[in-house]
Amino acid sequence: MKKKTKRFGLLLPSSNTTQEPEFAEVLPSDVSLHCARLTLRNIDPESTIKIVEELEAEAQKLKDAAVDAVVLSATAPSTRLGKGYDKKICARIEQACGKPATTAATAMLEAFTLLNIKKIVLAAPWGEGTNQTVAAFIEASGVQVLQQRAMGIVSNIEVGHLSAQTAYDLGRQADHPEADAIFLACGNWMTLEVIDALEKDTGKPVLSTNSCAIWATMNLIDGAWSIPGYGRLLANLRQG
């Protein structure tokens, strides 16, 4: 086994069953994954606000593991209170653990900037209300949402039972000729294994909550890395 020299810190919702196996599968062999969980069972307005009440306590646990960087890889909670809310969450994590931090929302916007993405379509397994909140955050940050699709699932554990094929199918349904990219939102939705195929079939970048979170956190860790097979963002792109 290759020696693990970097430590990736992940804050995830308590009902998330997707991120740990997805992240562990794709992270470079010299990077180990270390997780802490924040209480969330349903993807609803109250739960996506309350989840961050535990932020400092769980971030401090990751500090105990001496991680190199931390990500809150949850799109709905990190966009819940509008433009700039993600940066406030980053600051709270950094203060609690003394390490650089990012969120799913922050990573998403940085990836849009890097790829010069101005217009997207949004696909997600959660409800229309959550989709509207996320879309409003994206548009307030300067990126147009041309079209969106939502499956209407509230229970996060149910989202974790969905196959990656549902992400491919909804991404195709949401696509728009004028869109620069497709964004597959929700960290508990299996997406990584279909990104390459969806990019090939649509001819445009496909980003997901988890691909953006891995990409941004790996840049914070500052290792020499490339993760092929999961879309162009992870294969060969760095922050400028």
Side-chain angles (χ1 to χ4, degrees):
M1 180 182 292
K2 187 173 181 179
K3 184 178 180 181
K4 306 289 186 179
T5 59
K6 303 288 185 181
R7 295 175 181 170
F8 186 114
L10 173 63
L11 290 165
L12 73 166
S14 57
S15 52
N16 188 301
T17 58
T18 295
Q19 286 180 331
E20 286 153 317
E22 274 205 333
F23 284 41
E25 176 72 21
V26 308
L27 285 175
S29 59
D30 62 342
V31 178
S32 57
L33 179 65
H34 306 274
C35 304
R37 306 180 87 86
L38 308 168
T39 302
L40 180 139
R41 298 179 182 87
N42 294 319
I43 310 168
D44 58 49
E46 182 180 0
S47 298
T48 53
I49 289 176
K50 288 196 61 156
I51 186 174
V52 298
E53 292 177 0
E54 303 170 14
L55 201 61
E56 283 79 8
E58 297 305 313
Q60 286 168 3
K61 293 175 184 177
L62 292 175
K63 179 181 180 179
D64 291 345
V67 297
D68 293 296
V70 176
V71 58
L72 172 62
S73 188
T75 302
S78 55
T79 60
R80 183 67 184 86
L81 296 182
K83 183 180 178 182
Y85 183 57
D86 59 312
K87 295 294 188 180
K88 294 178 181 177
I89 292 175
C90 289
R92 288 175 58 186
I93 297 171
E94 289 176 351
Q95 185 172 5
C97 71
K99 296 292 183 178
T102 189
T103 72
T106 313
M108 171 189 70
L109 295 179
E110 289 174 349
F112 290 167
T113 298
L114 182 70
L115 293 168
N116 196 31
I117 292 168
K118 304 296 184 185
K119 299 177 182 180
I120 68 156
V121 293
L122 173 64
W126 50 45
E128 291 286 352
T130 300
N131 236 25
Q132 292 291 343
T133 299
V134 173
F137 175 92
I138 292 170
E139 295 210 318
S141 302
V143 175
Q144 188 177 355
V145 180
L146 297 177
Q147 197 155 254
Q148 51 185 291
R149 294 286 185 274
M151 296 177 68
I153 301 173
V154 174
S155 168
N156 199 37
I157 197 72
E158 290 183 22
V159 171
H161 293 155
L162 296 172
S163 70
Q165 185 65 41
T166 63
Y168 177 92
D169 292 343
L170 201 63
R172 288 299 300 264
Q173 292 172 30
D175 194 18
H176 187 284
E178 296 180 14
D180 299 322
I182 297 168
F183 186 67
L184 306 173
C186 185
N188 202 26
W189 198 19
M190 283 192 289
T191 58
L192 291 179
E193 66 187 68
V194 299
I195 287 178
D196 252 6
L198 193 51
E199 287 191 340
K200 290 173 184 174
D201 293 344
T202 62
K204 60 189 64 173
V206 176
L207 310 178
S208 75
T209 293
N210 290 348
S211 71
C212 289
I214 291 169
W215 167 78
T217 310
M218 285 302 301
N219 280 319
L220 291 177
I221 291 173
D222 199 28
W225 61 274
S226 175
I227 309 173
Y230 303 96
R232 67 189 73 179
L233 183 70
L234 288 176
N236 52 27
L237 296 176
R238 306 287 187 276
Q239 285 179 301

